[in-house]
Amino acid sequence: MPEEESLSRSRLVRLIEAGAVAVNGAVVTDLRAKLDEGDSIVITVEEATEVDTAPEAIPLEILHEDADLIVVNKPAGMVVHPAPGTPRGTLVNALLHHFGGNLSGIGGEKRPGIVHRIDKDTSGLLVVAKSDRAHHGLAAQFADHSITREYEALCHGVPDAADPRLRGVRGVHVGAGGTVRISTHLARHKTDRQRQAVLFEGGRHAVTHLQVEESFAGMVARVSCRLETGRTHQIRVHMAHIGHALIGDPVYGGRRRVSEKLLGPVAIELNAFVRQALHAATLGFHHPVSGEVLQFSAELPPDMARLLHGLREAVR
């Protein structure tokens, strides 16, 4: 197939099985059928079909859009893709309304191509494909880890690279300039299906690079986290693994609290924060069609910015 058609192997399998492929004028549905040199193959690709997901007029903060992709700043509280528990109000519902009929389709359906996700209660940047060629190109960059993804977070304690305790945690490697590399495997927890668990055998390899940007009375730190891989809950699990769970994380944060004696009134806000304090702040990649290098950034959302302001005031 011509590369510009961007038909994946799985899409071609479906086309063969659906009777959309003819060899020398005869339809062939057998995936093991043999071909001879000089055979004429015709593939009939129909227009993309409509999906069942309902478009919804939900406001979007769009940082970039062209014929092949769109970059949005997702608010905390929004699910990326419809699921049995959340069929409406998702990013996909909002994108379908935004695109209207101007969507070439992914895999034969008029739908946005979701190539990566961020958790419902994590805010920040996402790139979404609008065409098959963009979907394949972006997926390849995620697969080879060439996408730049940096997050900002607020965590309990200060993950200081010089801390002997931190250096003794399995999977932690300290690099130049105080960077911390966390390398483990991750898999679904054996007893709690809503959680991920750290493993060192089995599961999927996961690597996070961590840097402390600011610290506040030794109780809280603002950290930047660069993803080398992108596993479910990766930053949240890794931060909890090294003993520095994210502020507000309802799954991995436990009951850890910030002392009001050391940080004053902002400690009350920190202890009452209702989501993980995590924001996808930077996203960079090569445009999958033009090859242009694109880089985007998004400022902290108001709730995290307010916490950060309160922390800075508390230690002045």
Side-chain angles (χ1 to χ4, degrees):
M1 284 297 300
E3 287 188 11
E4 60 270 18
E5 293 301 321
S6 298
L7 295 181
S8 66
R9 181 182 179 89
S10 59
R11 177 85 186 280
L12 287 168
V13 166
R14 293 197 299 272
L15 287 168
I16 294 169
E17 292 176 336
V21 177
V23 179
N24 301 324
V27 171
V28 175
T29 58
D30 181 2
L31 296 174
R32 297 184 179 181
K34 302 298 182 182
L35 296 174
D36 293 320
E37 185 175 355
D39 280 348
S40 172
I41 304 168
V42 176
I43 301 176
T44 303
V45 182
E46 296 181 351
E47 291 292 325
T49 60
E50 300 290 343
V51 296
D52 292 335
T53 305
E56 294 183 63
I58 302 170
L60 289 171
E61 182 181 345
I62 298 170
L63 280 70
H64 173 86
E65 183 176 10
D66 57 42
D68 292 289
L69 58 85
I70 186 170
V71 177
V72 298
N73 184 16
K74 184 190 83 67
M78 176 183 274
V79 175
V80 172
H81 200 281
T86 51
R88 301 180 66 84
T90 73
L91 178 63
V92 168
N93 295 106
L95 288 171
L96 285 171
H97 179 272
H98 171 75
F99 295 145
N102 185 29
L103 186 61
S104 61
I106 310 294
E109 295 180 331
K110 286 189 174 181
R111 61 180 175 86
I114 303 299
V115 290
H116 68 128
R117 292 175 171 82
I118 55 179
D119 296 336
K120 172 186 175 182
D121 290 325
T122 298
S123 58
L125 297 172
L126 278 165
V127 57
V128 179
K130 296 170 62 177
S131 66
D132 267 323
R133 59 182 181 175
H135 191 263
H136 295 314
L138 289 169
Q141 292 181 63
F142 276 99
D144 65 18
H145 311 309
S146 60
I147 299 269
T148 299
R149 285 176 290 172
E150 294 183 359
Y151 288 69
E152 288 210 25
L154 296 174
C155 70
H156 287 280
V158 182
D160 186 350
D163 181 358
R165 184 205 63 80
L166 182 62
R167 288 171 174 262
V169 175
R170 188 176 180 185
V172 169
H173 307 274
V174 176
T179 60
V180 175
R181 181 177 183 267
I182 308 166
S183 177
T184 72
H185 289 205
L186 298 180
R188 196 178 296 276
H189 196 281
K190 289 183 178 180
T191 59
D192 186 346
R193 307 302 288 174
Q194 302 303 313
R195 297 167 61 96
Q196 296 290 309
V198 166
L199 304 173
F200 291 93
E201 293 183 4
R204 304 181 70 188
H205 190 220
V207 179
T208 303
H209 298 267
L210 166 70
Q211 179 84 50
V212 175
E213 304 294 345
E214 294 180 81
S215 62
F216 305 97
M219 295 293 297
V220 178
R222 177 173 73 88
V223 297
S224 61
C225 300
R226 179 173 63 82
L227 290 181
E228 186 173 315
T229 59
R231 311 304 182 200
T232 301
H233 297 179
Q234 178 174 316
I235 292 173
R236 298 166 63 189
V237 181
H238 273 171
M239 293 301 293
H241 172 65
I242 66 172
H244 296 280
L246 299 185
I247 294 291
D249 193 328
V251 178
Y252 303 99
R255 298 184 178 182
R256 192 167 176 177
R257 297 177 63 81
V258 177
S259 170
E260 293 180 35
K261 290 183 179 180
L262 293 175
L263 289 176
V266 72
I268 299 174
E269 293 187 57
L270 289 162
N271 291 328
F273 204 61
V274 295
R275 69 175 183 94
Q276 61 269 9
L278 182 63
H279 174 67
T282 302
L283 179 66
F285 55 90
H286 285 84
H287 193 287
V289 178
S290 71
E292 178 185 2
V293 176
L294 300 177
Q295 179 125 342
F296 304 94
S297 60
E299 294 182 354
L300 286 178
D303 59 351
M304 284 184 65
R306 186 171 59 252
L307 287 182
L308 188 57
H309 175 75
L311 285 165
R312 288 168 175 166
E313 288 294 308
V315 298
R316 283 179 59 180

